[in-house]
Amino acid sequence: MALPVVITLAVLAFAWPAGRISPRDVPVGIVGTGAAGQHAVEGLTRAKPGAFDFHLYPDQQAARSAIKNRDVYGAFAVSGHSITVLKATAAGPSVAQLLTDVGQQLADKATRQIAEQQAAEAHDPAKAHRRAAARQKAAQQKAAQQKAARQGAAGADSSVKVVVKAVDVVPVSAADPRGAVFSSSVFPLTICGILIGAFVSMARGLARPLHRVLTLVVACAVAALGVYLVAQGFLGALPRNHVATWAILSLDLLSVSATAAGVIRLLGPAGLGLSAGLMVFVGNAFSGATSAPEMLPKGVGYIGQWLPPGAGASLLRDTAYFDGNAGAGHLAILALWSVCGLTAVMCGHWVTGEARGAKTSATASGELLPALLGSGDALPVRRHVHAHARRHDDDG
């Protein structure tokens, strides 16, 4: 009966977050503090309550710096007749597409408002003339009068339209435009790490804890090199900071494999199932590697970032595309899991050795004492004890 329950929970762990992907407090920027930007914030707040966490920036240059520093996923620069969407596909293709769609929605809404305003002005020539003069007060009088006349004649048929322009500040690799190779390279790391940990902890030739630790470190480094050669050398999905990217892949594998080996060392074979369930069915499912942690249900993305699969995927993205910006927290989490796992590998034999020693002692006492009490060999043992005592007396 337990196996169907486990399978159901495993499917739920992967399917539920994927079926509830939606923006939740996604940090985005708004360029400028003018009326157009304020209207955009108000419109998005009403249309998508709780979807975005807005940050104001004085100009596009400041917004671009914030995107590269991983402070925000993107920004909207809103003006009277155009909207510029600053996005970073490398931060998450799904979030970048979301920002592009939201920018188009803002442009469509602004276009409808302009059309409605022009239609109202067509029925009020005096108001139309005043608004035209206010907009074009720096132009020549003749040009202003001609434009006001054209607006009055065209009315609602004017072709004025708000234009959307998308600028990819940090693009993803051209060899991996949808980020599929990146996510496909991240997910197997968890399973590979568990396999390494299980092999090292159960190998008979690695009797000493120090040998196990050294084997874990070397195996993770070599495996990470192979992953990098495939992901970048063959598929071109990790284009920057080559040595640092390889180091992060190694640390990601080590955090998973050391944890698995440590748990197995402490709990025995049951530790393999526990570590696999935690890392695969919780860590991978809640990592947000295919979208973003802010796109997952509340709490799910937060939990995922505290586990090696989620922290490793985020740190790998930060290192490969953003020069390590905002990666200190993820690095600390991976280091913490690695240290705890390696400590369990090094010191776990003390705990298990004491437990086995106590069990062996109790078993020996329970089996040998009745035999001694019920056998005829008790007198020879007693004579041996007395003789041993007399020898000590003679020596004294």
Side-chain angles (χ1 to χ4, degrees):
M1 293 299 293
L3 186 59
V5 174
V6 172
I7 295 175
T8 302
L9 293 177
V11 173
L12 178 63
F14 278 93
W16 172 56
R20 296 292 184 270
I21 290 181
S22 180
R24 297 171 178 87
D25 294 327
V26 176
V28 297
I30 297 293
V31 178
T33 57
Q38 293 178 357
H39 291 326
V41 172
E42 294 173 358
L44 290 176
T45 302
R46 287 194 301 267
K48 300 179 180 295
F52 299 105
D53 178 20
F54 294 103
H55 300 257
L56 298 179
Y57 297 100
D59 50 37
Q60 291 194 24
Q61 186 61 36
R64 288 171 179 266
S65 298
I67 294 173
K68 293 178 181 179
N69 292 332
R70 298 286 276 150
D71 297 329
V72 293
Y73 280 92
F76 299 105
V78 184
S79 63
H81 297 286
S82 66
I83 295 178
T84 302
V85 180
L86 303 176
K87 62 181 182 179
T89 311
S94 60
V95 180
Q97 184 60 47
L98 170 68
L99 297 181
T100 303
D101 294 341
V102 170
Q104 187 61 54
Q105 294 171 7
L106 289 174
D108 294 341
K109 183 178 179 180
T111 301
R112 289 194 301 268
Q113 291 176 347
I114 293 176
E116 292 172 357
Q117 179 182 348
Q118 291 180 346
E121 291 177 353
H123 294 84
D124 189 354
K127 183 178 180 180
H129 178 74
R130 289 195 302 269
R131 294 183 64 88
R135 288 194 301 264
Q136 302 177 2
K137 61 181 180 179
Q140 296 181 356
Q141 186 66 26
K142 184 177 180 180
Q145 292 176 352
Q146 291 177 351
K147 188 170 183 178
R150 288 197 302 270
Q151 289 178 348
D157 296 331
S158 175
S159 59
V160 174
K161 183 179 180 180
V162 177
V163 180
V164 178
K165 179 182 179 182
V167 179
D168 202 345
V169 179
V170 186
V172 75
S173 173
D176 185 24
R178 298 182 179 179
V181 176
F182 179 89
S183 58
S184 299
S185 301
V186 169
F187 280 144
L189 292 178
T190 304
I191 300 176
C192 295
I194 294 174
L195 292 177
I196 293 173
F199 172 79
V200 171
S201 61
M202 297 179 180
R204 294 183 178 181
L206 300 175
R208 295 184 179 182
L210 182 59
H211 293 170
R212 299 178 187 271
V213 170
L214 293 177
T215 304
L216 279 173
V217 174
V218 174
C220 291
V222 174
L225 181 60
V227 172
Y228 181 76
L229 291 177
V230 172
Q232 170 56 30
F234 180 57
L235 300 175
L238 303 172
R240 303 179 186 174
N241 302 317
H242 307 293
V243 176
T245 302
W246 167 61
I248 296 304
L249 287 171
S250 303
L251 182 60
D252 190 5
L253 279 171
L254 181 62
S255 63
V256 176
S257 62
T259 301
V263 175
I264 293 172
R265 192 71 180 91
L266 294 175
L267 303 180
L272 177 60
L274 179 60
S275 58
L278 178 63
M279 296 298 176
V280 176
F281 298 132
V282 179
N284 262 0
F286 293 0
S287 66
T290 58
S291 55
E294 292 84 359
M295 299 288 285
L296 300 177
K298 288 285 188 179
V300 170
Y302 183 79
I303 294 173
Q305 295 304 297
W306 276 95
L307 294 174
S314 298
L315 182 58
L316 184 61
R317 194 185 300 276
D318 296 338
T319 304
Y321 288 101
F322 296 91
D323 297 326
N325 292 326
H330 302 134
L331 180 62
I333 290 173
L334 292 181
L336 178 62
W337 281 94
S338 300
V339 170
C340 292
L342 294 177
T343 302
V345 173
M346 287 290 296
C347 305
H349 67 285
W350 291 346
V351 178
T352 57
E354 291 175 359
R356 292 172 182 171
K359 183 177 179 180
T360 304
S361 177
T363 303
S365 300
E367 293 177 356
L368 296 178
L369 185 58
L372 290 174
L373 293 177
S375 66
D377 296 335
L379 289 177
V381 172
R382 190 177 296 111
R383 286 195 300 268
H384 175 73
V385 173
H386 292 326
H388 184 70
R390 283 195 301 270
R391 285 198 299 269
H392 279 284
D393 292 340
D394 295 339
D395 294 338

